[in-house]
Amino acid sequence: MEFLDCINRALDNGEITQAQHREASEMFISFQVDNKANKGMSDTQANAQAAVDTFDTIKYQKYQSKRRMILQRAAQSRLAKNIDSYKGKNKGEGMIALLEQDYTGRATYSNVMLRQRALRGMAEAMMDENITELRKSAVLGRTTRPAKAKAKAMVREAFGENTGDESARLMAQAWAKSAEFLRLSFNKAGGDIVKRKDWGMPTAHDGLTIRKAGRTEWKNFIRDMLDVENMVSFKTNKPMTTLELEDVLDEIYDTISTDGFSKIKESSVGGQGKSLARRRQDHRFLKFKNADMWLEYQERFGGGDPFTIMISHLDTMARDVAFLEILGPNPNSSIRFMQNKVRRDAKIADAAAGNNKASEKAESSIYKFEAIYDYITGTSNAPVNGPVARTMATLGNILTSAYLGSTSILAIATDPNFTRITKRMAGMSTFKSSTKSALAMLTANKATKQQAVRMGLIAEHWSAFAFSKSRYAGEMTGHKFSEYISNFALNVTLLSPFTQAGRWAFGMEFMGFIADNVKKPWRNLPGELQDTLSRYGFTEEMWAKLKDVPPYTHKGSTFLRPDEVMEVDRDLAFKMMEMIQGMTDLAVPNNSVRGRVFWTGKTRPGTIAGEMTRSTAMFKNFPVTFFLRNIQSAMFRNNLKSRASIGADLLISTTLMAGLAIQLREISKGRDELPMDSPEFWGKALLASGGLSIMGDFLYASLNEFGGGIGETISGPRTSFAQDLLSLTFGNLVQGLQGEETNIGRETIQFFGRNMPGSSAFYLRLAYERAILDQLTLMADPKARRRFRRIEKSRMKDYGQEYWWRPGQVTPDRPPNVWGVTGG
């Protein structure tokens, strides 16, 4: 065969490598076999056509490879410039700022996390109707029957069927537009995803279900469902051949069953095996014959409804595009480049200073960078021991639903104040009540909330399980039933809805504020707005471009949306969207990756270290995030006067609002307000303002209100749960064997009562405890009344409080004393 002879000679002459020879030979044989078996060609025709197709493919691959190399070089040049522009001494922190926002203002360039959210927000804005109509239910977080029916109709329309449902057809078009926006963005940044009009929907795979079924069963199930004739090979960019299909299915199975680790090389950084620009091709090319077969596969091996699959696709595509745009087509190469640069610069600084301090700081920053990168890519969330990790995550969900019921009081009291301070830092008017704005959005109709999505403000509450859980508990997964329980508890206590409403309200108001000022020249802008714009990389020239953007008007209000900015300047639109998302994180603080890895590092779930650090991190992400974002943003203002003024405002107002929240929570627990004339109270309020209210208990006594010591509190609720369970079971068993009196009845009631999902809901907790738990305790423990009296005496001794609804009483003795709350 002339082609094979040609490449054999090229190998012998050293013109191509062994790997290139093998790839070209396999490609030629695959084309040749397919031409004869499926296209009816003669040997001569098959060989000739296979040679043409192979040459075309190699030429195309060389073009793409050269293009990615050019983009990669440009990316590394840009990364070096960004790191050098970092205003701090430790350039390693400048490298971290490329992954997540640095709120000190020392890094004015874009980062992966905000770019991902900007991309996702813009993609969701294109399909706002889909999100509004197919969203999860407000309470349980489940897909309603009408939404399921509409989603299936939309899927059929996406696969080219005519259902006669006009709204489903429009949703399918919106979905296609959104997915195409991300595909084009991916390709522009160095990717190579082939456009297919008949693509339909992405395919989700449940790794656990597929592993249980095994390779043979899975391949046999999916093979006949695939429209092989219209599938495009991600290797050759030509129609898939029969031989290649089997190899590809094996590769897909290996990738799914190992959670992607089959593609990771030992030398790779952050668990990313191949060039990111090439990875998205691996699972996009699957094309099902029709919607019924896609739905059947998702039912058997997908593990997700159409809405969840769409949102997941937007989120992961946005993440990968963000990596490409910020770090280049090959992030691994970029990371090694940046690490080498940071280490080299540190060594030069050490040589000049005559010490090793710069290198030590650089290595610490590099470790943090890798931990953050692992978290964003999902590597550090891949379990080592699946059953253990799922069990612990499930426990975390249950404990979240049981313990965070009164956290909404703290959020409702403090979030509007964070929003007020953020408005002040941005130069916005603080006259309008942030509480009223959030409550107005909370109670707004569907159309108003849809407008927020249309403006690019992500609908976390609608599209993900228990978004607000990540504010305090950290991101986690577990069995589905536990996710439903957690989602339900956080919805009915208003934590999730109020969080989302506050973020939407601020985002829309900020866009309106930009619109109000867009016609002003840079020099006439409020100083605070100039400072905010500069922190996100805006220049006077960029601002001047915005005046030509037509504003968007809704119900008499004018907004400057990134959607309209995109028509003028794509990069400027992303700058604006990143600023909106970043400022929203200040206005309504949520989880941060830096806060997460502060506790967990590079540990993975399913290991002793991983589960211990995750228990410690539970409910403690918010304090770290509060410091890294809100406190540092105040500390690093552009002048001393602003730093002092904003810092004092943040310290005093958040402490006051947290003090109010503490008193309201005390009343919700059946107790009068805490005396406010003691340093202990204000110390507790100060800690509570940063999400550490429970640590304030140790200012009063050696135990927290749950009876745990400082060690248990630090180790986290999962560890405390395990200790309580051991005490209830083995502890009582040992006491019984030793002839000691056990309290298993009372302890059982306390254990299940404390860990019952939803039991801490601020408006149900007290009645639940007094009318149910206390009465059961009285029946199970003859000494219960004496114990209740001891609890009252201890509370008065340690905290100076009385109970307005005493333990053990079915009804309250009197109304709560709110004298301290009102400041009298």
Side-chain angles (χ1 to χ4, degrees):
M1 301 178 186
E2 293 182 3
F3 178 81
L4 292 180
D5 292 339
C6 178
I7 62 173
N8 287 335
R9 286 194 298 272
L11 177 63
D12 293 337
N13 295 333
E15 297 172 4
I16 61 175
T17 65
Q18 187 70 45
Q20 290 172 329
H21 176 270
R22 182 172 60 255
E23 182 180 5
S25 299
E26 291 175 353
M27 194 185 304
F28 174 81
I29 293 172
S30 178
F31 281 132
Q32 180 199 49
V33 171
D34 191 64
N35 288 338
K36 289 196 294 184
N38 299 321
K39 299 179 181 179
M41 295 184 183
S42 65
D43 288 345
T44 302
Q45 291 172 325
N47 290 342
Q49 187 60 49
V52 171
D53 290 340
T54 304
F55 273 123
D56 288 347
T57 300
I58 292 173
K59 182 179 179 181
Y60 179 78
Q61 289 176 341
K62 283 186 176 181
Y63 162 75
Q64 288 294 340
S65 179
K66 183 177 181 180
R67 174 172 167 264
R68 283 192 291 268
M69 182 177 65
I70 294 172
L71 289 172
Q72 184 65 24
R73 287 177 178 173
Q76 291 184 354
S77 175
R78 183 177 64 250
L79 292 170
K81 181 179 178 181
N82 285 338
I83 293 174
D84 286 337
S85 73
Y86 183 74
K87 298 173 185 177
K89 293 182 179 179
N90 181 8
K91 299 302 181 181
E93 292 298 313
M95 187 171 67
I96 294 174
L98 287 159
L99 294 181
E100 191 174 36
Q101 181 68 17
D102 184 319
Y103 281 88
T104 66
R106 292 179 291 192
T108 60
Y109 39 84
S110 296
N111 60 81
V112 171
M113 290 298 293
L114 287 185
R115 179 60 58 86
Q116 175 186 359
R117 290 168 58 194
L119 284 158
R120 177 177 163 180
M122 291 179 179
E124 285 190 1
M126 298 176 187
M127 47 179 279
D128 57 290
E129 184 74 19
N130 304 45
I131 294 173
T132 305
E133 294 299 325
L134 305 181
R135 62 188 173 94
K136 304 291 185 179
S137 62
V139 178
L140 289 177
R142 303 185 68 177
T143 305
T144 62
R145 289 184 179 179
K148 283 182 179 179
K150 182 66 70 174
K152 287 186 177 181
M154 185 208 68
V155 169
R156 297 186 189 284
E157 290 284 350
F159 275 90
E161 298 180 21
N162 184 1
T163 64
D165 187 331
E166 180 63 13
S167 66
R169 184 183 68 82
L170 293 176
M171 284 185 189
Q173 290 179 351
W175 154 249
K177 179 181 178 181
S178 180
E180 179 67 3
F181 161 71
L182 290 174
R183 186 191 73 85
L184 291 174
S185 298
F186 186 83
N187 287 354
K188 182 179 179 181
D192 182 26
I193 300 176
V194 179
K195 178 177 175 60
R196 285 212 325 258
K197 294 181 180 179
D198 54 355
W199 172 51
M201 295 283 288
T203 306
H205 307 281
D206 186 328
L208 180 60
T209 303
I210 291 173
R211 281 195 296 271
K212 287 181 178 179
R215 184 187 305 271
T216 301
E217 181 180 342
W218 177 78
K219 287 179 65 177
N220 290 340
F221 185 88
I222 194 175
R223 186 185 292 108
D224 293 337
M225 293 182 165
L226 298 175
D227 184 9
V228 182
E229 293 182 359
N230 291 307
M231 285 168 54
V232 177
S233 168
F234 59 82
K235 293 182 179 179
T236 66
N237 207 37
K238 292 182 177 293
M240 177 73 60
T241 67
T242 305
L243 285 179
E244 187 179 4
L245 175 64
E246 294 303 313
D247 292 338
V248 167
L249 289 179
D250 282 327
E251 183 179 351
I252 292 175
Y253 177 84
D254 290 336
T255 302
I256 297 168
S257 61
T258 63
D259 295 317
F261 279 83
S262 66
K263 293 187 175 182
I264 296 176
K265 301 176 182 178
E266 291 183 5
S267 60
S268 67
V269 180
Q272 304 302 308
K274 63 167 68 174
S275 166
L276 176 59
R278 301 173 61 192
R279 280 197 297 115
R280 291 298 309 191
Q281 300 165 327
D282 292 9
H283 53 276
R284 186 183 169 93
F285 82 97
L286 289 178
K287 181 183 183 304
F288 288 79
K289 292 178 179 177
N290 51 52
D292 285 331
M293 290 190 175
W294 182 87
L295 289 166
E296 185 180 351
Y297 179 83
Q298 294 306 139
E299 183 70 25
R300 176 70 174 86
F301 287 113
D305 59 275
F307 177 73
T308 301
I309 291 169
M310 283 194 302
I311 296 300
S312 177
H313 177 78
L314 296 186
D315 191 56
T316 55
M317 274 293 291
R319 179 200 64 193
D320 287 352
V321 173
F323 271 124
L324 288 177
E325 292 184 346
I326 303 300
L327 300 184
N330 193 335
N332 276 315
S333 176
S334 296
I335 291 170
R336 288 190 291 270
F337 168 80
M338 290 189 293
Q339 290 175 338
N340 290 337
K341 173 179 171 53
V342 168
R343 287 187 172 114
R344 183 183 65 250
D345 291 349
K347 290 294 184 183
I348 294 173
D350 284 341
N355 56 43
N356 199 40
K357 292 182 179 180
S359 292
E360 290 175 350
K361 290 181 179 180
E363 290 302 324
S364 176
S365 296
I366 287 172
Y367 176 86
K368 286 190 290 184
F369 177 94
E370 291 176 351
I372 292 171
Y373 185 75
D374 285 353
Y375 182 85
I376 297 174
T377 59
T379 303
S380 61
N381 282 330
V384 175
N385 185 315
V388 170
R390 280 189 297 275
T391 299
M392 296 304 293
T394 297
L395 174 60
N397 286 333
I398 298 298
L399 296 180
T400 296
S401 68
Y403 292 173
L404 288 187
S406 62
T407 306
S408 52
I409 295 178
L410 181 64
I412 292 170
T414 58
D415 280 1
N417 187 57
F418 290 138
T419 301
R420 179 189 63 80
I421 294 173
T422 303
K423 288 180 181 179
R424 185 182 168 191
M425 287 192 289
M428 301 167 66
S429 171
T430 59
F431 180 76
K432 184 178 180 181
S433 170
S434 299
T435 303
K436 288 183 179 180
S437 297
L439 291 175
M441 180 60 74
L442 181 66
T443 57
N445 57 28
K446 184 172 69 174
T448 299
K449 294 176 180 178
Q450 185 174 342
Q451 278 297 326
V453 179
R454 191 172 295 166
M455 290 183 181
L457 303 175
I458 300 172
E460 293 106 333
H461 177 48
W462 284 356
S463 58
F465 275 111
F467 156 69
S468 62
K469 175 175 63 180
S470 66
R471 296 183 66 183
Y472 300 97
E475 184 179 339
M476 62 184 73
T477 58
H479 291 288
K480 282 290 178 66
F481 82 89
S482 70
E483 294 183 344
Y484 284 130
I485 290 172
S486 176
N487 194 68
F488 171 79
L490 295 175
N491 277 324
V492 298
T493 59
L494 301 181
L495 183 55
S496 286
F498 189 78
T499 297
Q500 180 68 85
R503 294 176 69 82
W504 275 344
F506 175 80
M508 293 180 71
E509 192 171 345
F510 192 44
M511 288 188 197
F513 176 64
I514 296 297
D516 293 340
N517 287 275
V518 73
K519 297 298 182 182
K520 297 179 182 178
W522 179 269
R523 64 180 179 277
N524 293 341
L525 292 177
E528 297 87 350
L529 178 56
Q530 273 193 31
D531 181 50
T532 298
L533 290 166
S534 297
R535 283 169 174 257
Y536 289 88
F538 275 84
T539 63
E540 185 173 355
E541 292 74 23
M542 292 178 184
W543 178 257
K545 286 185 179 181
L546 292 178
K547 68 180 181 181
D548 298 325
V549 178
Y552 172 78
T553 303
H554 176 67
K555 292 185 177 180
S557 298
T558 303
F559 305 91
L560 192 67
R561 303 188 307 177
D563 193 34
E564 281 77 32
V565 179
M566 181 78 77
E567 300 297 324
V568 175
D569 190 315
R570 182 182 185 275
D571 293 337
L572 190 58
F574 281 120
K575 279 283 184 188
M576 182 178 172
M577 194 72 242
E578 289 164 13
M579 178 176 65
I580 293 168
Q581 297 286 2
M583 294 299 288
T584 301
D585 286 342
L586 281 177
V588 185
N590 66 347
N591 189 18
S592 72
V593 180
R594 292 179 192 237
R596 173 76 171 185
V597 303
F598 174 86
W599 297 104
T600 62
K602 295 182 181 181
T603 62
R604 288 170 55 194
T607 63
I608 294 177
E611 296 306 336
M612 289 181 66
T613 57
R614 279 160 177 76
S615 177
T616 301
M618 195 172 175
F619 307 148
K620 299 186 186 73
N621 188 303
F622 183 85
V624 179
T625 297
F626 175 66
F627 173 79
L628 292 173
R629 286 182 179 166
N630 298 74
I631 293 180
Q632 287 200 342
S633 185
M635 290 170 57
F636 288 87
R637 305 311 299 168
N638 56 0
N639 59 70
L640 181 60
K641 180 181 178 181
S642 179
R643 288 195 293 270
S645 178
I646 296 291
D649 188 352
L650 181 66
L651 175 66
I652 295 171
S653 62
T654 55
T655 301
L656 288 172
M657 298 312 297
L660 173 62
I662 288 171
Q663 300 292 41
L664 293 174
R665 289 167 76 171
E666 290 299 314
I667 291 172
S668 74
K669 295 172 184 177
R671 301 189 286 258
D672 290 332
E673 81 288 349
L674 284 165
M676 298 173 67
D677 56 356
S678 68
E680 289 85 0
F681 174 81
W682 293 109
K684 182 177 176 67
L686 179 62
L687 289 170
S689 68
L692 287 172
S693 179
I694 193 170
M695 300 302 292
D697 289 347
F698 297 107
L699 298 175
Y700 289 92
S702 60
L703 300 176
N704 63 38
E705 66 173 288
F706 300 106
I710 185 70
E712 291 179 59
T713 305
I714 292 175
S715 62
R718 297 189 207 178
T719 303
S720 297
F721 176 89
Q723 291 176 341
D724 290 345
L725 184 61
L726 285 173
S727 177
L728 177 64
T729 53
F730 290 103
N732 278 289
L733 177 61
V734 171
Q735 285 180 317
L737 292 174
Q738 293 177 346
E740 298 178 9
E741 182 181 359
T742 65
N743 298 304
I744 190 168
R746 172 172 57 82
E747 290 178 16
T748 300
I749 293 168
Q750 289 178 332
F751 178 81
F752 285 101
R754 183 166 56 248
N755 298 296
M756 182 67 66
S759 60
S760 61
F762 66 91
Y763 51 83
L764 297 175
R765 174 178 185 164
L766 188 54
Y768 166 71
E769 288 180 349
R770 297 295 181 263
I772 299 177
L773 295 184
D774 288 357
Q775 303 313 307
L776 289 174
T777 302
L778 287 169
M779 289 186 283
D781 182 8
K783 300 179 181 179
R785 289 209 179 273
R786 276 183 285 176
R787 180 176 172 275
F788 287 151
R789 299 295 80 81
R790 284 198 303 271
I791 291 174
E792 292 183 57
K793 291 180 180 179
S794 177
R795 195 75 193 182
M796 173 57 73
K797 176 185 175 182
D798 294 334
Y799 293 85
Q801 281 179 294
E802 292 183 350
Y803 282 82
W804 63 271
W805 192 342
R806 299 168 63 198
Q809 302 294 327
V810 178
T811 57
D813 295 331
R814 57 177 173 81
N817 180 0
V818 295
W819 186 249
V821 176
T822 57

